[in-house]
Amino acid sequence: MAEPNLISARTRTATAVQVNNVLRNTYLLLGMTLAFSAATALVSMAMNAPYPGFLITIIGFFGLLYAVHKTADSALGIVFAFLFTGFLGFTAGPILNAYLSLANGPNLVASALGTTAAAFVGLSAYAVITRRDFSFLSGFLVVGFFVLMGAVVLSWLFDLSAFSVAISCGFVLFASAAILWQTSAIVHGGETNYIRATVTLYVSFYNLFMSLLHIFGAMGDD
């Protein structure tokens, strides 16, 4: 009986080590990509670059995201992860410039960023500390993705400004659920690729920040 127990203990230890490695690598890469994204946003703002438009943004987003997932099992995946996050940072620059030009703009951006950081840390810590399994959120995320993408496309084709805050609230819920789901997947060994995990968490952070920025701006009549 001792030998099977020993093997079981070694298996649990190996699994714990793997999980810790994925967590460490994920948050290390996430920190670097967030810093790189902030740098490209600052460059875009300094250049006063115009917003590239919906089509270029959406094509760049899904094109680079596809490249990340196709190369995530190689070192090239890290390169595409930086290209992806750098692209989103650059496209965020014109949006941030628009908000900062408002009378209360700096406070809006600071409040949205602070709330995003607090929410991200809180949700991630909850999933890691409690080790609760949030895999049940996968169905919600799939449905939510198609609903929100449909709303985004419709808002591009038609004037849905009356529903813009509701759409942003939907993105906040979606991003929060994605953070819980992805962190839980790492903790429980369901996600072993830190590049894919990083990109999922980055997109959640980005969507959370942009959505909160819009909501706070609408609440302040900006």
Side-chain angles (χ1 to χ4, degrees), residues 69 178 181-182 191 195-205:
H69 282 271
W181 173 81
Q182 183 61 86
E191 178 60 84
I195 297 176
R196 282 193 291 264
T198 294
V199 169
T200 299
L201 291 174
Y202 172 90
V203 171
S204 300
F205 188 98

Side-chain angles (χ1 to χ4, degrees), residues 88-177:
L88 286 185
F90 193 85
T91 58
I95 299 173
L96 292 175
N97 270 342
Y99 275 98
L100 290 172
S101 66
L102 302 172
N104 196 36
N107 287 335
L108 284 174
V109 174
S111 297
L113 184 59
T115 304
T116 299
F120 184 88
V121 171
L123 291 168
S124 299
Y126 179 76
V128 172
I129 294 171
T130 64
R131 301 187 69 83
R132 183 177 175 184
D133 186 0
F134 286 99
S135 59
F136 65 90
L137 290 173
S138 58
F140 167 80
L141 291 172
V142 171
V143 174
F145 171 80
F146 286 106
V147 170
L148 290 172
M149 285 308 303
V152 168
V153 172
L154 286 175
S155 66
W156 177 59
L157 296 174
F158 307 102
D159 181 15
L160 298 181
S161 55
F163 304 98
S164 63
V165 173
I167 294 172
S168 291
C169 289
F171 270 104
V172 168
L173 291 175
F174 181 84
S176 299

Side-chain angles (χ1 to χ4, degrees), residues 174-186:
F174 181 84
S176 299
I179 293 168
L180 289 172
W181 173 81
Q182 183 61 86
T183 308
S184 173
I186 298 172

